[in-house]
Amino acid sequence: MSDLVSLIAAESGVPEPLRSLALRSLAVQLADRGRHAAIIAAINSGGQSGFLSLLLHRSIASLVAQAQAAETAAAAAAAAAAASSGGAAGAAGGSEAAQPPPAAAAAAAAASAPPAHTYSLEFVESLLVLVQSLVTSTAGGTALADAGVAGALLPLLRLRGSDHVGLVTAAVRVLEGYIDFAAGTATAAFGDASNGLQELINRLVFEVGLQAGAAAGGAAGAAGAAAVEGAGVGGAAEGAGAAVAAAAAPAGPAATEAAAELAAAAAGGCLAQRQAAEKAAAAAAAAAATAAGTSAAGASSGEAAGTSAATPEASAAASPPKVPYARTTLIKFLLRCLALACFSPQSTAASRPPEGVLQALYRSLGVVLRDGARFGGSLFALAATVVSDCLHADPLQYRLLEEAGLPQAYLEAVKVGLLRMGFGGLRGWCKVGGRDGGQGE
């Protein structure tokens, strides 16, 4: 074990893939909890008392800096391409005047340059595997608390790239285990480390597709939601019609399709209205296709059969796509971590984020409850459990929940048949609202 720690501590003399394998070898040995004390002693021996903390902070800061440099370089390349295409129509003198001065260009290049000593994504993943093994024991949790694991992992939540989803999920799992290990001290340290709860909620807002402006809308957002709900099925029909039109158009990038689907879902009202609107739009498309086929000269029965066979494909294309498994896993651990940090019996009201941040959390939960078919049954059940824990921990939060439309979203899910055994959670909400009839389930 001491030799493995020496390999990990060697910065330049040992190749990084070999150091990554040494980290994973230590993680495998940590599967036996009886070895935790010996491995932690090996890490802290030989003048390596702050080795784990230093390695966590340096490697994660290096990876975040590399990601930011890549984003800056991509934005600069896009801006340069736009400037070159726009400058082609202008005069040559105007193009030269539009170029930035050499000093400004050098400063921008220096700002986007990665740090001198960099760590790869594979190395950080191996380090998080080791940290996940440490957090399962008391000795490991104490070592991570001394290393400041909360402050080291929070910058990973700001990585928005698709290739970092697995890394962010591993970081959230470590934070969940750390808070579960020492609820009181961990929650206090987590809240002090650069607004850790707000970082988790911001990441959840991003993952469910809720815009930051809508998440921070407050009462104005609740009024807008009520206006959309009062708009009825007509607005939902427009959203479904737009979805059908988008399906008939050539397919674009996946990110553009997901953004268009989220915008239609936000403007379409409740789930039952969207489903009714989708059926109506599919029926209208089928009727239009049949009429066009009938009026066309020389239309044969085979062509009519082909038109009728294309109708199910159009309705299938109009259905909302499922959330990818990687994002579903990340959202699951985000919800579990937030439930432990905010609404567990060990947490206090002082450790919760302010009301404005909680409103963003409740609106994100509302998105999951309204789009249960898209997020899946496990995330729907977990979101309903988080709401129930919130009511049990602080019944006064019901006002914010009602403003976010969570009770109405849950009732709509019951009405459309999304839930089969959801009356236990429904009765818990009715108790808080004073509507419990005292009848059994």
Side-chain angles (χ1 to χ4, degrees), residues 210-226 354-364 370 399-405:
L210 189 64
Q211 296 181 359
E355 184 174 307
V357 181
L358 283 177
Q359 287 178 346
L361 170 62
Y362 298 152
R363 284 185 173 80
S364 302
R370 293 185 187 95
R399 175 182 60 85
L400 298 178
L401 296 175
E402 192 170 14
E403 288 178 358

Side-chain angles (χ1 to χ4, degrees), residues 292-353:
T294 305
S295 60
S300 62
S301 59
E303 294 176 353
T307 304
S308 62
T311 302
E313 297 178 359
S315 61
S319 62
K322 295 286 187 180
V323 177
Y325 176 76
R327 285 184 56 202
T328 302
T329 306
L330 177 55
I331 295 172
K332 178 183 72 174
F333 284 109
L334 284 170
L335 291 177
R336 288 171 55 175
C337 189
L338 285 169
L340 278 175
C342 298
F343 309 122
S344 65
Q346 293 81 11
S347 64
T348 60
S351 63
R352 294 173 193 148

Side-chain angles (χ1 to χ4, degrees), residues 6-431:
S6 300
L7 284 176
I8 298 169
E11 292 288 343
S12 58
V14 180
E16 191 175 87
L18 187 58
R19 298 171 64 203
S20 301
L21 290 176
L23 284 170
R24 292 185 179 270
S25 299
L26 284 179
V28 169
Q29 296 185 44
L30 286 172
D32 182 7
R33 292 196 178 186
R35 298 188 174 211
H36 278 217
I39 293 176
I40 293 172
I43 292 176
N44 293 331
S45 64
Q48 304 288 341
S49 58
F51 168 66
L52 184 59
S53 174
L54 180 64
L55 189 62
L56 273 172
H57 285 81
R58 287 184 61 181
S59 60
I60 292 176
S62 170
L63 185 65
V64 172
Q66 293 177 60
Q68 292 176 351
E71 292 176 0
T72 304
S84 62
S85 61
S95 300
E96 293 178 358
Q99 297 293 329
S112 61
H117 188 84
T118 59
Y119 293 84
S120 65
L121 179 62
E122 291 77 10
F123 182 84
V124 180
E125 288 178 346
S126 302
L127 181 59
L128 287 185
V129 170
L130 175 65
V131 173
Q132 287 180 23
S133 302
L134 282 174
V135 81
T136 59
S137 69
T138 303
T142 304
L144 292 179
D146 296 338
V149 65
L153 295 180
L154 284 178
L156 290 177
L157 298 178
R158 307 185 192 111
L159 296 178
R160 300 293 192 256
S162 59
D163 52 342
H164 296 128
V165 173
L167 191 67
V168 177
T169 304
V172 177
R173 290 186 65 180
V174 172
L175 291 174
E176 179 196 358
Y178 177 62
I179 295 175
D180 193 17
F181 159 71
T185 58
T187 303
F190 189 70
D192 294 339
S194 66
N195 297 326
L197 293 177
Q198 186 169 358
E199 291 286 348
L200 283 173
I201 293 174
N202 290 340
R203 183 67 190 211
L204 179 63
V205 168
F206 173 79
E207 291 299 329
V208 301
L210 189 64
Q211 296 181 359
V228 170
E229 183 178 356
V233 184
E238 294 179 0
V244 174
T256 306
E257 293 179 358
E261 190 274 328
L262 287 171
C270 66
L271 182 63
Q273 292 174 346
R274 290 200 305 274
Q275 290 179 347
E278 288 173 3
K279 292 179 180 178
T290 304
T294 305
S295 60
S300 62
S301 59
E303 294 176 353
T307 304
S308 62
T311 302
E313 297 178 359
S315 61
S319 62
K322 295 286 187 180
V323 177
Y325 176 76
R327 285 184 56 202
T328 302
T329 306
L330 177 55
I331 295 172
K332 178 183 72 174
F333 284 109
L334 284 170
L335 291 177
R336 288 171 55 175
C337 189
L338 285 169
L340 278 175
C342 298
F343 309 122
S344 65
Q346 293 81 11
S347 64
T348 60
S351 63
R352 294 173 193 148
E355 184 174 307
V357 181
L358 283 177
Q359 287 178 346
L361 170 62
Y362 298 152
R363 284 185 173 80
S364 302
L365 294 173
V367 172
V368 178
L369 292 180
R370 293 185 187 95
D371 291 338
R374 188 167 64 92
F375 287 96
S378 61
L379 280 184
F380 182 93
L382 186 56
T385 303
V386 172
V387 176
S388 179
D389 292 343
C390 170
L391 290 175
H392 285 290
D394 187 4
L396 297 179
Q397 293 290 320
Y398 184 80
R399 175 182 60 85
L400 298 178
L401 296 175
E402 192 170 14
E403 288 178 358
L406 293 180
Q408 185 64 28
Y410 191 88
L411 291 174
E412 291 294 339
V414 174
K415 290 179 182 178
V416 299
L418 187 61
L419 298 180
R420 295 186 181 273
M421 298 180 64
F423 295 102
L426 180 61
R427 186 182 179 187
W429 286 8
C430 290
K431 285 183 179 179

